Amino acid sequence: MAMTSNLNKATWIWYPGDFEVWLGNRFNNRRTERGAMFPPFWKQDSHWVTVEFSNAFSLEKDETITISCEGQFNLMLDGKLQSMIGRNTFTVPAGEHKLNLKVWNQATPPALFIDGKTVKTDSTWLATYEDKIWIDENGIAHGSGIYVPAASWNFDKPDMPPSKYQLERVRLEPVSFEDKGKGVLYDFGKETFGYLIVHGLKGTVHIYYGESAEEALDKEHCETLDVLSDGEPELGSKAFRFVYIEKADDSSYERVSMDYEYAPFDTSHSGSFECSDDLLNRIWKVGAYTMDLTTREFFMDGIKRDRWTWSGDAIQSYLMNYYLRFDTACVKRTIRQLRGKDPVTSHVNTIMDYTFYWIISVYDYYLYTGDVEFVREIYPRMQSLMEYVEKRTNSDGMAEGQPDDWIFVDWVDFPMHKRGALAFEQILLCKAYLSMANCAEVLYKHPLENPPQGSIDADDHGVNYAVDHDIYYTLAHHLKDRIDTCFWDEEAKSYLHAIEDGELNRQITKFPNMFAIIYDLVDDERKKEIMHHVMLNASIERITTPYMRFYELEALCQMGFQTQVLDEVRNYWGGMIREGATTFWEKYVPEETGREHLAMYGRPYGKSLCHAWGASPVYLFGKYYLGVKPLKAGYKEYEVRPVLGGLQWLRGAVPTPFGLIHVFMDQQTLTVRIEGDKNSGCKGVLVAPDGQHYDLPAAGECSINYTISN
């Protein structure tokens, strides 16, 4: 079947997922500790080194094309090898023709850029890594291939191939400096990330970085350091607020600055929040800045440590991102990178719960974006990952850690066994089954309109997806019944901790109980029981990481405790700000003082002071105070349910696929204004404080005003 280009300009193409795998390896191996490289401790896949690209064309007249590639290539026209010695142009004769190009590249992903009048590389091309399976732009196999996506990140110039991508930079100067001992301590005013520049250097300097002044000045224990001599290449990217520089004998330099490195975002399509409480406003801004610093080529955990992609961290970053920048490209890159390639030989990041989060994140992405094609692309890897999970369940069908698994849950300050079948893990697995079922249903309801002849969908039009939906839905409900039977304690009105060696561990923690609420796995009456006996019970061990406070406060918000949650946010996140935080931390224990706040993992400066999971107020404020959330995929139907939570007023905006939803509320009035494409077909409903529902107008600078009765 002849194919023609559907884009006006050419773009770089590669084997799907290979760019993310390659970039992820480079990304995850930048971490250092005291000058030593520190690679991640999970399996790292590689890109396919030989990829064949193919397309068919119908040309009215001869056409000369220009070929650029990353690697070495050969070209076949209608199955005949062509000589390309000393040239990068080729003339395709008029008529029906098929082009095949094989690209080999050991160092970076084989990538191809072809530009002609009509013959261009774009999303109509097929690719194979020589497994004799060709895949098209919808992820559909032909004959025995894979979707070659049109390159994101504007890879549309022959001299800007994917491997040369860099984040943007801007020059920043320190806000102050001070002589300290034999050197100078520079303060850049807030936590930042980028490349330190020592101008006019002659000789050698020793550089010590710190997220705190204490760390930068502690040469023996600071976690990041450099030695720089004149004539050497630029320093690698680092996280810091403070930098302490000592000169070697007979050395000198003129001044110090930095190139701040960042992922650009569209301010006109970004979320915002402001209210009558100045502390909460500061908390939102610090949370937003924390997210911006940890949003890079991928969503990372912390900018000093670990500088890695972790699935548990990432799923929270995705959710916060949906209420801040709505950077869907970064979500897809991170999901692809975390998953890697088949065959599956370990859990994502080696952590069982992180595998479940990865699966859950795909349907979350679909709900906020409505991107069916990404679900179609990633679904086979969801299936193979779930097959790995199911092979490791116990005789009761429950997930139980194996010797090569890491069961994380959270960093806890109290004794908690992580062996056997944990109720928490079963609840995550149950939600993962439901996410698989939902994704299968999406693909069943959105079959390809014209499935390619001979492809998987050509005959059954999605029947396999329907079968998958039924299988995963049944697994979810069987597991839910097992969770209730094995872990629910009617007297304690809570889910107990675990089954260890056939015995029930009766410890009660918040973890499984709050996730049962969040994932809607229990009815309203049981939710109320859990709230009273667990979530609001002061005798239950408290959570001390922002990671799990994210979910704890979400459960409280879902149950209508917005006023209490704001008090928690003021105390917890406000406590970090009172300690001088300019970004939010990996962990915060209010009772600690001074340098205790900097320590973790048995190291005096082991704690990350800019950690993505610390930014959860950005998500909470957007979803549960501005009250905006999608009800159907891509905001085709959505709800606006603002809650003051004791505030005098609030206002802000939430980004959606069609534009911004603006909300203002005080004690007398409520206004919703919808920007964007009025032809988007999206329908909103305003839920007023009295519970009444009002249809919202279509997008396009329309608004609705509501007077709150006393």
Side-chain angles (χ1 to χ4, degrees), residues 343-407:
V344 182
T345 58
S346 64
H347 282 296
V348 176
N349 304 126
T350 75
I351 301 176
M352 188 163 70
D353 13 327
Y354 282 26
T355 285
F356 303 148
Y357 288 133
W358 185 89
I359 293 170
I360 293 166
S361 74
V362 176
Y363 187 71
D364 282 349
Y365 170 81
Y366 173 72
L367 180 61
Y368 279 92
T369 67
D371 186 350
V372 175
E373 296 315 316
F374 181 70
V375 177
R376 199 184 312 279
E377 171 199 333
I378 209 73
Y379 185 76
R381 296 193 181 186
M382 297 175 71
Q383 285 181 300
S384 55
L385 184 58
M386 186 56 86
E387 288 169 2
Y388 174 82
V389 169
E390 292 182 286
K391 290 177 182 177
R392 295 162 73 88
T393 55
N394 64 20
S395 58
D396 291 323
M398 291 194 284
E400 189 167 346
Q402 304 298 313
D404 55 335
D405 295 337
W406 178 4
I407 309 300

Side-chain angles (χ1 to χ4, degrees), residues 270-288:
S270 291
S272 62
F273 179 84
E274 189 178 9
C275 68
S276 56
D277 187 320
D278 288 339
L279 177 59
L280 294 178
N281 294 336
R282 289 182 63 192
I283 288 170
W284 187 90
K285 289 178 181 177
V286 171

Side-chain angles (χ1 to χ4, degrees), residues 508-524:
I508 299 174
T509 69
K510 292 183 178 181
F511 304 120
N513 290 284
M514 63 193 187
F515 274 80
I517 293 173
I518 294 167
Y519 291 157
D520 204 28
L521 299 182
V522 292
D523 60 25
D524 290 345

